[in-house]
Amino acid sequence: MKKCKQLYLLLTLLVLLLTLAGCNKDKGASAVQTQAEFDALTNEIFLDNVQSDSITLNYTLANPENYGITNYKPTLGDFSLEAMKENLAKCENYSARLKSIDYKKLTDDQKLTYDIIKDYYKVDDNADDLLLYYEVLSPTVGLQAQLPVLYAEYRFYDKDDIDAYLELLPCTYDYFNQIIEFEKLKSEAGLFMSDRSVDDIMEQCESLIADKENNFLITVFNDKVEKYDGLTKDEIKEYKKKNKDAVLNYVIPAYQLLIDGLKNLKGTGTNEGGLCNFERGKEYYESLVRSETGSNRSVEELIDILENYISKNILRMQTLLAKDSTLLNKANDPSYPMTDPEEILTYLQDTIKDRFPDMEKVNYTVKYVHKSLEDFISPAFYLTPAIDNYEDNSIYINGSDKFDLSQIFTTLAHEGYPGHLFQNVYYAQQNPDPVRSTMNFGGYSEGWATYVEMISYHMAGIDDNLASLLEENNAVILMMYARADIGINYEGWTREDSDKYLKNMLSITDEDTLDQFYISMVEEPANYLQYTIGYIEMMELREKAEKKLGDKFSEKDYHEFILKIGPSQFYVIDKYLDKWIKSIK
């Protein structure tokens, strides 16, 4: 009896173990299935985003066929109110499908992507009503200003890319026509831009097409095809002819269409001030600030934190000057040991090694903005490379006389090492989910570049106290600009209010400077906030890590954490920072 009972117990135990094993197997399969489902969704979103227009596709992928993209028809996309509404519906669909996925069964990397996507594709209840508040045209970051540079830098990885580019250029006319139709809708809704904005954009467009036969899209293309390996002389000649025809018959007429369309709408704009002067402009500005900065702080909270930082930075500047009053004169015209861009970038690559993680070496080319774009483009900018070709990078410098290139050291740190170039390449080397390359997080990107720009003052080979003063001064100016941006677009500051603020805080009295400042805030609302709020959020994250880790804090390890997590909303990074701090402790 005892032996039989023992055998029975053994059989029961075996049955129980087999049952448990079966449960574990089912649970594992379920997790694998969930992970596959999530990957399928993110891949679908990626493919949809990257094929939305040829510019996005060319700048994101060097080899689209490796991602299953073939027989792609060149297009600039669809710019219409209907297309915007369809996009909102698509985002709602993504959000609903995301909610159906069991978060707990995802891998750690997938959870991070999930956390980022969840809010990125969340559609606000008022989104549909605010679509006409969107403005695609503006002097610096507007599409008409960016498109020529994007065309000029369109990558020719093979002959198919040259053919695709030549098919894309004619799309410019129809696309600009769609923009004018959208601007007409804005005008009918009482949301059209001011006459001053119209004049600024028209002036820019006229400059871009002034010399038709020698338009830089013709000269740049000719130079590119001549240097392209594998083309015969006849092919080069034919390509040059096709490009010139496309520029003269489609691109230049498109800009003229834009000029004429804006001229016809001029006078219908009723608001010369900030967004808040429109009926729901304040509401739109709140949404714009969230998307531009990646911060979940309310605008009122941002006002408080800006004013607090301004006070602290000014106090630190006063302390530095109290110790050495000669710093003031030195700060007005700092003399950097290096002024040659190539020399500076080479130096920075070596200098940052002690404070930033190691990164595989890549190529970069320093280029100068074409003369026709100098008056409208930033002092310098970096073009993000394709995710499957991050070895080749381009940094543009504006050689205009209005920019002092002798002071370009920190600007190149912002755009190159350890700024945009370093951040983008380092992140690409982590082989992240491709879907993340199609999401825009200006607050993270510009916040990082501004954060390291401040650090770069102490790498420039100048007196450390002077470097600190310049750092604090630069930060204060950015914060005051951001504060004025909010004042003008959220609180309704008038031109007089703006002038008073700048005169009191920065002692600016030049009328042209005051005028240009105010109009830039009106024309490109929340643009400065990407840099300033992004920088502050980066500083807040660092201060939190330093405070909680104490002696265990490592600047280099912290930078590695921020770079590896990649572009994201700051509240998502904060969540993972807590986990990182816990792991260090």
Side-chain angles (χ1 to χ4, degrees):
M1 286 290 294
K2 187 175 181 182
K3 188 175 181 180
C4 289
K5 187 175 181 180
Q6 286 176 332
L7 182 62
Y8 173 75
L9 288 172
L10 179 61
L11 289 172
T12 302
L13 180 61
L14 286 171
V15 170
L16 181 60
L17 288 172
L18 288 170
T19 303
L20 289 173
C23 290
N24 286 333
K25 184 178 179 181
D26 289 341
K27 185 176 180 181
S30 178
V32 170
Q33 185 178 1
T34 300
Q35 291 161 17
E37 181 185 352
F38 180 77
D39 285 340
L41 175 58
T42 59
N43 186 58
E44 179 185 333
I45 296 172
F46 168 72
L47 292 176
D48 186 53
N49 289 343
V50 83
Q51 295 179 89
S52 61
D53 64 86
S54 298
I55 298 290
T56 299
L57 179 60
N58 183 260
Y59 275 78
T60 307
L61 296 175
N63 302 289
E65 64 278 2
N66 293 343
Y67 294 78
I69 301 173
T70 56
N71 301 319
Y72 180 78
K73 183 180 179 181
T75 177
L76 284 174
D78 185 357
F79 191 93
S80 64
L81 190 61
E82 292 71 24
M84 291 179 182
K85 290 179 179 179
E86 289 175 8
N87 189 56
L88 287 180
K90 194 180 292 182
C91 290
E92 288 178 334
N93 175 262
Y94 291 153
S95 293
R97 291 165 63 186
L98 201 61
K99 288 178 182 177
S100 68
I101 293 174
D102 189 344
Y103 179 81
K104 294 179 180 178
K105 293 178 181 177
L106 300 177
T107 66
D108 289 343
D109 286 342
Q110 287 178 323
K111 286 177 180 178
L112 172 59
T113 303
Y114 184 105
D115 289 337
I116 294 169
I117 292 178
K118 181 179 67 174
D119 282 349
Y120 191 84
Y121 286 104
K122 182 181 178 182
V123 178
D124 294 337
D125 294 335
N126 61 354
D128 194 72
D129 299 328
L130 299 176
L131 289 175
L132 283 174
Y133 282 80
Y134 176 68
E135 183 55 78
V136 69
L137 305 174
S138 64
T140 303
V141 299
L143 181 131
Q144 87 295 334
Q146 302 292 323
L147 190 60
V149 178
L150 295 173
Y151 274 159
E153 277 296 301
Y154 193 95
R155 279 79 176 228
F156 296 159
Y157 298 109
D158 54 38
K159 285 178 65 175
D160 288 343
D161 291 319
I162 303 177
D163 293 327
Y165 173 77
L166 294 173
E167 287 185 54
L168 179 64
L169 290 181
C171 299
T172 313
Y173 191 88
D174 290 338
Y175 194 71
F176 276 27
N177 189 51
Q178 283 188 310
I179 291 175
I180 286 299
E181 291 303 314
F182 184 77
E183 293 295 338
K184 288 179 182 177
L185 293 177
K186 286 173 67 72
S187 175
E188 291 167 6
L191 299 173
F192 189 61
M193 68 184 75
S194 68
D195 287 356
R196 171 66 181 276
S197 297
V198 170
D199 289 338
D200 288 345
I201 295 169
M202 284 172 54
E203 180 186 352
Q204 181 189 58
C205 292
E206 287 165 354
S207 173
L208 288 169
I209 63 175
D211 188 357
K212 294 180 174 57
E213 292 293 324
N214 298 301
N215 186 277
F216 88 105
L217 288 180
I218 295 174
T219 57
V220 169
F221 179 87
N222 289 348
D223 185 54
K224 286 171 70 176
V225 293
E226 284 174 2
K227 293 178 179 177
Y228 188 89
D229 291 333
L231 294 179
T232 66
K233 289 183 178 180
D234 287 340
E235 285 176 322
I236 292 173
K237 183 178 179 181
E238 182 63 20
Y239 275 140
K240 285 183 177 181
K241 182 181 182 304
K242 286 183 178 180
N243 177 68
K244 186 172 183 178
D245 289 344
V247 172
L248 293 177
N249 296 322
Y250 293 100
V251 178
I252 290 176
Y255 274 88
Q256 188 60 54
L257 177 72
L258 201 60
I259 293 168
D260 295 339
L262 291 175
K263 189 182 295 183
N264 291 334
L265 292 171
K266 185 178 177 180
T268 64
T270 58
N271 177 22
E272 297 287 335
L275 276 172
C276 60
N277 294 317
F278 291 119
E279 183 181 356
R280 300 181 67 177
K282 194 170 182 177
E283 189 179 350
Y284 177 71
Y285 184 72
E286 290 175 324
S287 175
L288 187 65
V289 169
R290 283 197 303 274
S291 67
E292 291 293 293
T293 66
S295 174
N296 64 346
R297 303 176 198 261
S298 69
V299 177
E300 285 79 8
E301 287 176 312
L302 293 180
I303 292 173
D304 289 340
I305 198 169
L306 280 168
E307 292 183 346
N308 183 44
Y309 263 83
I310 288 170
S311 297
K312 288 194 298 185
N313 284 40
I314 289 176
L315 181 60
R316 285 197 285 264
M317 289 174 67
Q318 290 172 339
T319 302
L320 285 166
L321 290 171
K323 292 179 180 178
D324 183 0
S325 59
T326 65
L327 290 176
L328 187 58
N329 288 331
K330 294 176 184 177
N332 287 328
D333 188 22
S335 179
Y336 293 98
M338 285 172 284
T339 58
D340 178 70
E342 295 280 3
E343 182 186 0
I344 291 170
L345 288 168
T346 301
Y347 167 79
L348 282 169
Q349 286 183 75
D350 184 60
T351 305
I352 66 173
K353 289 179 180 178
D354 291 338
R355 305 180 68 175
F356 296 86
D358 296 331
M359 185 185 78
E360 177 187 332
K361 195 171 183 179
V362 294
N363 303 317
Y364 64 84
T365 304
V366 176
K367 301 180 179 181
Y368 286 84
V369 172
H370 193 271
K371 286 286 185 183
S372 65
L373 295 174
E374 285 183 349
D375 291 341
F376 310 101
I377 298 294
S378 305
F381 58 92
Y382 165 76
L383 287 177
T384 307
I387 60 175
D388 56 343
N389 190 53
Y390 57 76
E391 295 84 2
D392 295 317
N393 297 265
S394 296
I395 295 176
Y396 272 89
I397 295 173
N398 190 338
S400 171
D401 292 338
K402 67 180 180 180
F403 299 120
D404 184 0
L405 296 186
S406 69
Q407 309 291 315
I408 204 171
F409 185 93
T410 55
T411 301
L412 288 175
H414 181 110
E415 303 298 341
Y417 295 90
H420 288 310
L421 188 155
F422 184 82
Q423 179 264 307
N424 276 277
V425 172
Y426 188 91
Y427 178 65
Q429 290 177 357
Q430 309 308 310
N431 194 30
D433 190 320
V435 73
R436 293 189 59 188
S437 67
T438 63
M439 294 187 284
N440 180 36
F441 292 105
Y444 174 96
S445 177
E446 296 300 347
W448 169 264
T450 304
Y451 163 78
V452 297
E453 179 184 345
M454 301 303 181
I455 292 175
S456 75
Y457 281 106
H458 299 273
M459 302 176 180
I462 58 177
D463 176 73
D464 200 55
N465 286 329
L466 175 60
S468 295
L469 184 64
L470 291 169
E471 176 189 354
E472 301 294 347
N473 183 63
N474 191 14
V476 166
I477 291 173
L478 276 175
M479 289 169 194
M480 287 180 179
Y481 282 7
R483 179 65 186 90
D485 189 309
I486 295 174
I488 292 166
N489 289 292
Y490 187 76
E491 297 174 293
W493 287 9
T494 62
R495 166 67 195 277
E496 290 71 26
D497 295 327
S498 174
D499 289 359
K500 183 179 178 181
Y501 182 76
L502 291 187
K503 287 176 181 178
N504 288 343
M505 300 298 288
L506 295 174
S507 301
I508 296 175
T509 56
D510 178 69
E511 283 300 317
D512 287 341
T513 301
L514 293 169
D515 176 63
Q516 190 55 49
F517 175 84
Y518 182 77
I519 194 64
S520 69
M521 297 298 171
V522 170
E523 291 175 336
E524 292 166 344
N527 185 43
Y528 272 103
L529 269 63
Q530 291 185 76
Y531 301 82
T532 312
I533 302 305
Y535 165 67
I536 288 175
E537 290 283 4
M538 286 286 179
M539 290 295 292
E540 295 278 296
L541 290 169
R542 173 167 177 156
E543 287 172 11
K544 176 179 180 179
E546 286 180 330
K547 183 178 180 180
K548 293 200 171 186
L549 288 175
D551 293 340
K552 290 185 178 180
F553 176 81
S554 162
E555 181 185 48
K556 189 171 184 176
D557 291 345
Y558 169 75
H559 289 156
E560 182 180 26
F561 162 76
I562 291 292
L563 290 165
K564 278 189 173 180
I565 207 165
S568 171
Q569 303 94 337
F570 285 107
Y571 49 91
V572 172
I573 299 175
D574 187 53
K575 169 185 172 181
Y576 284 85
L577 179 66
D578 287 336
K579 294 181 180 179
W580 180 75
I581 290 171
K582 188 176 181 180
S583 71
I584 300 297
K585 280 188 172 182

